[in-house]
Amino acid sequence: MERQKLILDCDPGHDDAVAILLAGRAPGLELLGITVTAGNQTLEKTAQNALRVVQWLGLDTPVYAGCDRPLVRDKIVAGNIHGETGLDGPVFPSLERTLRPEHAVQYLIRTLLASEGDITVVTTGPMTNLAMALRLEPRIAEKIRRIVLMGGSYTNGNVTPAAEFNILADPEAAHICFSAGRPVSMIGLDVTRKVLCLPEIVERMARVNTGASRLFVDLMGHFCRTQKEVFGWDGAPLHDPVTVASLLDPDLVRFKPMNVRIDLRSEQSYGRTNCDYFGYLGLPATADVAVDIDVPRFWDIVEEALRRYE
Ligand code: BDR
Ligand code: CA
């Protein structure tokens, strides 16, 4: 079976951690590297969190730290959702893994340039690292097979009424990535809010009883509580893993091509992904935007992933 190559650019983050878990041992995927950005917490914390997850899962995947702030705007974090550490909940053993010395942006450039154009870049945090790489070495654009991102929304936001966290945290970076001329699959809140990790899902995953499932349960303990506090839901939307799951099963997520532009100017709607769902503007489509997901299949994919670990 041909394994799809991917680089996962993330800001762990509870749902980012589950995205790593899905990608780490999937037979159909080859996770080349994990690049980390500031987002849910400071870069120092998100990078440590990526290492903690990789160590817990026993993965050999190299981890590279990248940009510690957005391109233009001031930094924001999501401590209200992911806690003081960015990954509150699990008690991790002391960290033995270390970051690779190379900057994540240099790693992206080096790896993409040397590739045969067969690497998918999955982003589950602010798109700062990829945008910086595209600006520093524009020749990487033609080497990117596809950009698959968790971010945006064609309905409501989750930090402001208009904007979703990953885009709002670095709208200029998202603009650079969306306009790089490469295929973009945007998986936004419209779809990720359908995969609510309700108590019965947590119980189901607990029954798997592997090290990975124990990590999942501990992560969801915190994540579900804060989602309830902030949004009132009985389960947390498991946003980020939908990206990786969509690579594993091409029929999992239904996409609709749309013209998408990031709002970089307005005060109220800064960071909104303006998606021309109905095609009013008559402009060319710039992204495939997720519009639906097979929810039971998604949870089967998560359970299959948990079973691949000790
Ligand atoms: C996104 O924001 C972050 O808090 C999550 O990790 C996810 O990537 C959801 O809006
Ligand atoms: Ca994230």
Side-chain angles (χ1 to χ4, degrees), residues 11 13 15-16 40 78 82 124-125 150 158 164-166 189 239-240:
D11 63 334
D15 48 340
D16 302 83
N40 284 322
H82 299 272
T124 61
M150 189 283 131
N158 62 352
E164 180 279 334
F165 178 81
N166 289 339
L189 298 173
H239 309 286
D240 293 340

Side-chain angles (χ1 to χ4, degrees), residues 3-287:
R3 293 167 79 207
Q4 290 182 69
K5 293 180 183 162
L6 78 147
I7 296 171
L8 178 57
D9 186 65
C10 56
D11 63 334
H14 294 71
D15 48 340
D16 302 83
V18 181
I20 294 173
L21 196 156
L22 254 61
R25 292 216 177 146
L29 299 180
E30 186 179 355
L31 179 59
L32 302 175
I34 295 173
T35 53
V36 185
T37 184
N40 284 322
Q41 264 299 350
T42 61
L43 177 67
E44 192 188 346
K45 292 178 182 177
T46 55
Q48 296 291 301
N49 290 342
L51 290 172
R52 287 195 175 96
V53 172
V54 163
Q55 178 174 299
W56 183 296
L57 297 174
L59 298 172
D60 296 328
T61 318
V63 179
Y64 302 83
C67 298
D68 72 349
R69 67 196 70 184
L71 299 183
V72 176
R73 65 156 302 153
D74 292 337
K75 183 161 69 188
I76 56 169
V77 296
N80 60 336
I81 297 289
H82 299 272
E84 192 51 43
T85 63
L87 210 50
D88 278 13
V91 179
F92 290 98
S94 59
L95 200 49
E96 285 163 18
R97 301 295 181 95
T98 51
L99 294 165
R100 295 296 168 104
E102 191 176 18
H103 193 283
V105 172
Q106 297 292 358
Y107 166 76
L108 280 162
I109 291 171
R110 175 173 64 79
T111 310
L112 287 163
L113 277 186
S115 77
E116 289 166 15
D118 56 350
I119 299 175
T120 299
V121 181
V122 175
T123 68
T124 61
M127 302 181 87
T128 320
N129 286 337
L130 184 56
M132 280 291 277
L134 282 161
R135 280 294 189 254
L136 196 56
E137 181 43 275
R139 288 181 302 155
I140 66 167
E142 64 192 32
K143 293 286 198 166
I144 299 172
R145 179 176 175 185
R146 175 171 285 274
I147 299 169
V148 178
L149 72 128
M150 189 283 131
S153 165
Y154 58 83
T155 51
N156 299 309
N158 62 352
V159 185
T160 70
E164 180 279 334
F165 178 81
N166 289 339
I167 307 297
L168 182 64
D170 198 342
E172 287 76 15
H175 168 76
I176 290 170
C177 296
F178 272 76
S179 47
R182 299 310 298 158
V184 174
S185 298
M186 174 187 130
I187 300 177
L189 298 173
D190 323 287
V191 158
T192 63
R193 279 178 170 157
K194 295 185 183 190
V195 286
L196 288 181
C197 193
L198 296 164
E200 56 265 33
I201 297 287
V202 179
E203 284 160 26
R204 170 180 165 186
M205 301 308 165
R207 286 195 293 275
V208 173
N209 200 22
T210 60
S213 74
R214 287 187 283 280
L215 175 62
F216 181 88
V217 170
D218 289 354
L219 288 168
M220 290 306 114
H222 176 89
F223 198 43
C224 293
R225 191 170 57 253
T226 56
Q227 292 281 346
K228 174 90 179 166
E229 284 164 12
V230 177
F231 298 101
W233 291 316
D234 291 329
L238 209 50
H239 309 286
D240 293 340
V242 179
T243 54
V244 178
S246 76
L247 300 182
L248 291 169
D249 180 348
D251 297 325
L252 178 76
V253 177
R254 191 160 60 81
F255 292 92
K256 183 174 159 66
M258 301 183 205
N259 180 270
V260 180
R261 282 184 295 179
I262 317 290
D263 192 332
L264 302 178
R265 295 202 177 88
S266 114
E267 188 189 329
Q268 286 188 23
S269 305
Y270 181 52
R272 178 173 171 79
T273 46
N274 281 315
C275 301
D276 191 7
Y277 188 99
F278 296 103
Y280 311 115
L281 301 173
L283 295 171
T286 53

